[in-house]
Amino acid sequence: MTPETLIRGRLLSFRRAPQHAGDSESYLYEEDGALLVRNGKIAAVGVYADVKAKAGAEAEEVDHRPHLILPGLIDCHVHFPQMQVIASYAANLLEWLDTYTFPEECRFVETAHAERIATQFFDEFLRQGTTTAVAYCSVHKASADAFFAESLRRGTLMIGGKVMMDRNAPQGLLDTPQLGYDETRAVIEQWHGKGRNHVAITPRFAITSTPEQMAMTQKLAEEFPDLHIQTHLSENHDEIRYTCELYPDATDYTDIYARYGLLRKKALFGHAIHLSEREADAMAESGAVAVHCPTSNLFLGSGLFPLKAIQRREKPVTVAVATDIGGGSSYSMFKTMDEAYKIQQLLGERLNPLESFYHMTLGNAVALDLADRIGTLDEGSDADIVVMNAAATPAMRLRMETVTSLSEELFLLQTLGDDRSVVETYVAGKASKPQFGL
Ligand code: GUN
Ligand code: ZN
């Protein structure tokens, strides 16, 4: 008999993007629900009694009532080598990169260091209920090896890439157009499709890549048309100015990436805060994704991303959400959406709790073109699951006394919740055990 697990609790899973704050058609909510997990996948979902009837007599039963069961959270932009950069005091992006970030990433030339941080990274993300992350490794191939090896051990669906950068950074962080190409190919051959790992083509941003390196990323993008691509775009005004000086023939920042064939579906552009209408049109037409990193944008003073406005355009841009560790100031997707909410408040917009929870689950899965695997509790999905307690702290418990609807509970979780609210994280059906590596 294949071992089965029956996970009981209140289920919440989105079917599509919510159209308004009370859009109850956009999600499945089951007050006394259950998931049947078999071979790492969700074999059945629904009312507890119905799902139990489908389970074998040997099925192990876990009762999470009254907690809320969600699909594992997804973080679409993080930097794995920046765990010891978070909370660094800098005036702006370029100062932060030069003063803290580049020196720190140089340490990843040491394989032992990369392996130690990889253990910490997976412990921390799973503790926060995040089961999929899209990660930049460092320029060193060994950092990607450490990241994917740890992911394979944990059984997680992770997307990652060896960063390509060949100028405007310390010597210890530079590859060359040929080396960046060769090592990216080697990482793809070694890790893409191994376990649940996905490799992303990862030129850091136009400032740190010569035109020759950008041409090599284009070659990779053409040779691997199904792979994700990740880079940074239009985060900070000084960055934008310098980038456009480096590529004087391009119409604007977005056009640089378009010229090298990088504007396409499954291409993830971190930040994309200060886009012109032309750039937003180009993003929308290509199917590329703008990745909103609210805690980072506030922490580095980069700007207020027009999340609602950019999705409401005649040509809407697909948006994903992310922590951007270590520019971001929290590992929690709840804190991330709390800050996203506040940014919209400042812009005179409303981000309702359904939208927030959609973004960190199905919305991000759709942006990654992985909604058939992750981001929902649908039958057939991978069993990446998080169990949340909206009364995890005294302050939350007190506020929960007055909560009367699911939306209010979600908003409370988003506003006051963090890792303390995460009761359990399941990766492919298995409760994840932190390794607490030192
Ligand atoms: N732009 C280029 N590299 C980085 C990075 O590491 N973090 C952020 N926030 N922006 C970048
Ligand atoms: Zn970033």
Side-chain angles (χ1 to χ4, degrees):
M1 258 310 271
T2 315
E4 292 180 333
T5 313
L6 191 63
I7 301 173
R8 184 176 189 177
R10 294 188 296 128
L11 306 182
L12 174 65
S13 174
F14 283 89
R15 299 188 175 106
R16 57 164 171 77
Q19 305 299 310
H20 53 86
D23 187 0
S24 57
E25 298 289 300
S26 64
Y27 59 85
L28 163 87
Y29 175 70
E30 209 62 77
E31 182 74 26
D32 187 8
L35 302 170
L36 181 64
V37 174
R38 193 188 296 140
N39 293 328
K41 295 194 184 298
I42 297 176
V45 54
V47 176
Y48 169 74
D50 298 345
V51 176
K52 182 161 175 73
K54 295 178 186 165
E58 307 286 289
E60 182 200 350
E61 192 164 331
V62 189
D63 191 350
H64 284 299
R65 287 176 302 167
H67 301 323
L68 196 58
I69 298 177
L70 301 168
L73 309 178
I74 303 170
D75 183 343
C76 282
H77 182 124
V78 305
H79 294 262
F80 144 62
Q82 293 179 15
M83 291 189 80
Q84 292 181 301
V85 176
I86 190 170
S88 293
Y89 183 76
N92 56 54
L93 169 69
L94 298 178
E95 182 191 306
W96 175 85
L97 283 172
D98 286 339
T99 312
Y100 305 102
T101 309
F102 289 160
E104 177 61 26
E105 291 194 15
C106 286
R107 297 175 65 202
F108 284 72
V109 69
E110 300 285 348
T111 301
H113 179 67
E115 288 172 348
R116 170 177 176 242
I117 299 297
T119 306
Q120 300 284 342
F121 182 93
F122 281 82
D123 279 352
E124 185 59 32
F125 274 73
L126 297 176
R127 236 168 48 72
Q128 301 280 352
T130 301
T131 48
T132 289
V134 186
Y136 290 67
C137 301
S138 72
V139 73
H140 316 96
K141 177 177 178 290
S143 75
D145 292 340
F147 177 82
F148 285 121
E150 191 60 30
S151 176
L152 189 64
R153 267 193 288 281
R154 309 280 184 134
T156 41
L157 194 165
M158 289 282 164
I159 302 169
K162 180 213 107 73
V163 162
M164 288 180 274
M165 50 197 293
D166 68 343
R167 67 171 169 187
N168 287 322
Q171 192 59 38
L173 273 195
L174 301 182
D175 55 13
T176 64
Q178 190 63 46
L179 190 61
Y181 171 86
D182 290 344
E183 291 193 337
T184 299
R185 271 201 78 117
V187 172
I188 294 167
E189 279 154 23
Q190 200 173 335
W191 294 110
H192 188 68
K194 186 102 163 264
R196 301 169 71 203
N197 287 331
H198 293 246
V199 175
I201 298 166
T202 310
R204 183 176 204 122
F205 66 159
I207 288 180
T208 48
S209 285
T210 59
E212 293 71 31
Q213 178 157 72
M214 294 296 281
M216 290 305 245
T217 67
Q218 176 166 25
K219 190 161 142 65
L220 285 165
E222 285 166 1
E223 287 168 352
F224 299 98
D226 294 331
L227 255 55
H228 292 93
I229 296 170
Q230 60 180 345
T231 189
H232 295 84
L233 170 65
S234 200
E235 177 175 2
N236 162 294
H237 289 298
D238 290 338
E239 171 218 13
I240 297 167
R241 208 170 304 116
Y242 185 33
T243 305
C244 291
E245 281 170 27
L246 291 171
Y247 288 89
D249 294 343
T251 309
D252 46 43
Y253 197 162
T254 304
D255 186 47
I256 299 169
Y257 295 127
R259 283 172 181 235
Y260 291 101
L262 302 181
L263 218 58
R264 70 179 192 197
K265 264 195 96 177
K266 295 174 72 169
L268 308 169
F269 292 88
H271 309 290
I273 302 170
H274 308 286
L275 300 182
S276 66
E277 289 299 313
R278 194 215 75 77
E279 289 178 288
D281 279 349
M283 292 278 291
E285 284 161 11
S286 69
V289 178
V291 187
H292 180 30
C293 307
T295 72
S296 170
N297 296 166
L298 294 175
F299 185 79
L300 294 173
S302 302
L304 305 177
F305 177 75
L307 171 66
K308 294 288 291 191
I310 209 164
Q311 293 179 295
R312 206 173 41 226
R313 305 175 80 248
E314 197 179 315
K315 294 179 181 171
V317 175
T318 303
V319 176
V321 293
T323 61
D324 188 32
I325 297 300
S329 54
S330 172
Y331 287 89
S332 167
M333 287 307 293
F334 299 99
K335 286 275 120 322
T336 299
M337 295 317 297
D338 181 34
E339 299 296 286
Y341 171 80
K342 293 174 193 167
I343 290 173
Q344 294 314 296
Q345 290 290 93
L346 287 171
L347 292 172
E349 303 271 9
R350 308 308 317 279
L351 181 68
N352 73 59
L354 292 180
E355 287 174 294
S356 287
F357 277 71
Y358 167 78
H359 273 300
M360 52 180 136
T361 56
L362 179 57
N364 273 358
V366 168
L368 296 176
D369 199 26
L370 286 170
D372 58 333
R373 299 258 54 83
I374 56 172
T376 74
L377 302 176
D378 291 352
E379 216 174 284
S381 260
D382 296 350
D384 293 343
I385 298 157
V386 61
V387 183
M388 299 298 304
N389 178 7
T393 66
M396 293 178 84
R397 208 151 41 238
L398 196 63
R399 179 64 176 88
M400 261 306 267
E401 288 177 11
T402 63
V403 162
T404 57
S405 69
L406 176 65
S407 278
E408 283 181 21
E409 181 183 352
L410 297 180
F411 198 54
L412 168 56
L413 261 178
Q414 171 186 305
T415 309
L416 293 187
D418 51 32
D419 51 307
R420 292 169 297 178
S421 295
V422 177
V423 175
E424 187 57 276
T425 307
Y426 293 89
V427 174
K430 290 204 176 62
S432 70
K433 300 267 187 302
Q435 322 245 308
F436 298 116
L438 293 172

